[in-house]
Every structure is written in structure tokens, then in C-alpha cells.
Amino acid sequence: MHLFRTIAELRIWRSQQASRSVGFVPTMGYLHEGHLALVRRARAENETVVVSIFVNPLQFGPQEDYDRYPRDLDRDLYLLEREGVDAVFAPSVSEMYPSGFSTAVVVTGPIAERLEGEARPGHFRGVATVVTRLFGLVQPQRAYFGWKDAQQVLVVQRLVQDLALPVDIVPLPTVREADGLAMSSRNVYLSPEERVAASAIPRALFAALERFRSGERAAAALRELVRRTLTTTPVRLEYVSVSDLETFQEVEYVERPALLLVAAWIGTTRLIDNVLLDPGAP
């Protein structure tokens, strides 16, 4: 497995892979089973697999957790080598954003301006900028993302469509712990007591999903069920939304696929999660 720390090294190697299909998994490191599921899918569908490890400062707000975001490159490299990854790109901030860097990529509209876009101003601008830069460097045929960050997936899909980038975005289902909690690098912040409390988030989502499968289509009723489920827990709900999967507008009734999305705080840790509401599902 190759480890590249500079763009120049990556470009030389990538030119040698020109005839091979490349699958790409962009990450911020501190890998967990959710990341590895993406890697395995990329390994199954491509001749070459590239993973990036870069904690992108552009997608963190001034009061967010950039400085304390968990990092362990040696552990990540060990896990990726076991999965048969061909190359890891782990640049420094100065390598990705050298002095004078002044370009940003901005996706507009509800898909990037509601929910996470409103709660974390500038977040999706940072995501779109780094993803565009990474796609240009790695030049993958396919890139793999997890549905845990569903709004991010939709932003990247819109970015690729609007800029006609030659890469297929492959979303994979959220990987969960045994109690349903979505795997996230930020779960490491949780104390043992907070970790137990965090399981209320998927419990609330799946209770609403079960109500939906039983025929409930009113978004207000589904949102209220999530709120009610979390009321007696230490979880502090930031938002609960039922958003159309295509337009990302809030809906009153679920008549076509939509996402039930939650952002919540447990102590000082902010977690997000979602489930798909699909009226056409069996």
C-alpha cells in the first residue's frame, strides 16, 4: 500500500494507473466499520482503491471541534492495508490549501442551505471545495459515501451533476452499532453514560419509521413521535425534519421518498442520523 503526503507524489502514481478503474473513499480518518464498508465495496467494484485521510478545516466552524477531532493515522493505515487498499492520500493542510489558495465551490438551494447548512454555516462550502479538489487529484470513476451523512451525499451528487464531473457517486447504507447507533468518529467523545443515552436517537427514528410503515404519512406526526421519544432522555434535540429526497424541501405528507433527519446533542457531542421514508417500499 502506498502512502502519499504530497500532490506531486499522488499525480505521478495516478498517471501510472491510467488504464485501471479507480474507486475512491474520501474520509477524515479515525476509521470505523462504516468507513471500512465503503472501502470493501470500492475494492469489490474497482481495480484500484484510493482512500484519502484529511481533516478538512474548511468544513468546520470557528466554535466546532476541528482541533480535537480524533486522529490516528497509524491505526488508519493498518486498517486500510488489511482491506487491500492500494493508496492512501494523507496531505497536510498546507499541501491541500497552499498560501494564496482562494477558490471555493458553493452549492446553493435547499439541499445545501437547510438543516446542516443552516446549523453549520459554511460547512457545505468546505465540503464541496475539498471534494472537488480531491476528485480532480484522484480522478476516480466511482466515489463512495455513507448515508449517515445523507445531506452531504445529496450535496455531492448535486455538485457532480452540475459540474458534469466524470465520477459516479455510490451511497451505501448507514452502518450501525448493535444498539442501532450510527457509527461515527465523533462517538469516541461520548462518556459511557452518554453512549448509552445516545441509543435513544436511532430508537426514536426507528419508532417513527415503524409508524410510517404502518401507514402514517403526516410528517408532523412523525416528527412529534421523534420528539416525544427523546423527551425523557438526556438527548437534546436540535432539529427533526422530514425532507423530500429530491428537492430537500420540508414536506407535510410523505407521498414520495423522503428523509427523516435528526441532529441532537448529548453533553458536548453533536450527532446526526436519518432513515429513509419510502412509500413504495415493500
Side-chain angles (χ1 to χ4, degrees):
M1 185 176 74
H2 301 279
L3 171 62
F4 301 120
R5 304 305 296 264
T6 70
I7 290 171
E9 293 171 331
L10 176 63
R11 279 178 168 161
I12 291 170
W13 176 84
R14 182 63 184 88
S15 69
Q16 297 166 351
Q17 309 295 313
S19 64
R20 298 170 63 84
S21 62
V22 173
F24 177 45
V25 182
T27 82
M28 293 204 300
Y30 210 76
L31 305 180
H32 51 68
E33 192 61 27
H35 297 111
L36 298 182
L38 303 178
V39 170
R40 291 173 193 135
R41 179 71 173 268
R43 179 75 283 165
E45 296 181 347
N46 302 275
E47 296 170 289
T48 300
V49 175
V50 179
V51 174
S52 64
I53 297 174
F54 180 63
V55 184
N56 175 33
L58 297 189
Q59 66 192 70
F60 288 79
Q63 306 302 317
E64 293 185 347
D65 58 344
Y66 173 74
D67 288 333
R68 74 181 185 117
Y69 193 86
R71 297 163 170 87
D72 191 340
L73 182 60
D74 289 341
R75 171 183 169 277
D76 290 344
L77 294 176
Y78 170 74
L79 293 173
L80 294 175
E81 189 159 27
R82 286 201 315 177
E83 297 296 337
V85 168
D86 297 285
V88 175
F89 181 47
S92 65
V93 173
S94 61
E95 183 69 15
M96 281 296 285
Y97 305 124
S99 177
F101 187 92
S102 57
T103 298
V105 180
V106 180
V107 178
T108 61
I111 203 169
E113 295 168 359
R114 296 184 62 241
L115 304 183
E116 291 301 287
E118 182 176 359
R120 305 178 65 189
H123 172 67
F124 286 129
R125 174 187 174 117
V127 168
T129 299
V130 76
V131 165
T132 303
R133 187 150 167 76
L134 288 169
F135 284 175
L137 294 170
V138 177
Q139 300 173 50
Q141 279 72 43
R142 302 175 188 89
Y144 298 80
F145 293 83
W147 267 112
K148 194 268 291 183
D149 300 296
Q151 190 174 358
Q152 175 177 277
V153 174
L154 298 176
V155 167
V156 173
Q157 288 177 328
R158 171 54 58 188
L159 164 72
V160 166
Q161 180 177 332
D162 288 353
L163 298 184
L165 301 180
V167 54
D168 293 330
I169 304 303
V170 183
L172 270 72
T174 301
V175 177
R176 298 183 178 277
E177 303 282 1
D179 62 358
L181 184 67
M183 289 190 174
S184 168
S185 298
R186 288 185 169 93
N187 290 350
V188 71
Y189 298 156
L190 301 170
S191 71
E193 296 77 13
E194 289 171 339
R195 174 62 187 79
V196 172
S199 65
I201 296 173
R203 189 163 63 249
L205 286 171
F206 284 104
L209 178 60
E210 186 60 32
R211 180 74 61 83
F212 173 79
R213 288 172 173 167
S214 298
E216 180 63 75
R217 294 294 182 265
L222 298 172
R223 292 193 298 265
E224 180 57 27
L225 177 55
V226 171
R227 292 191 185 96
R228 196 164 61 246
T229 304
L230 295 177
T231 296
T232 59
T233 76
V235 177
R236 303 193 317 276
L237 187 63
E238 181 177 318
Y239 66 69
V240 54
S241 167
V242 180
S243 297
D244 185 271
L245 186 60
E246 183 176 335
T247 67
F248 214 70
Q249 297 279 11
E250 195 75 18
V251 300
E252 293 186 17
Y253 293 93
V254 183
E255 299 174 326
R256 60 183 190 175
L259 288 165
L260 174 59
L261 307 109
V262 162
W265 291 85
I266 304 167
T268 60
T269 302
R270 184 177 188 270
L271 299 177
I272 60 173
D273 200 353
N274 69 86
V275 291
L276 177 66
L277 307 175
D278 184 357

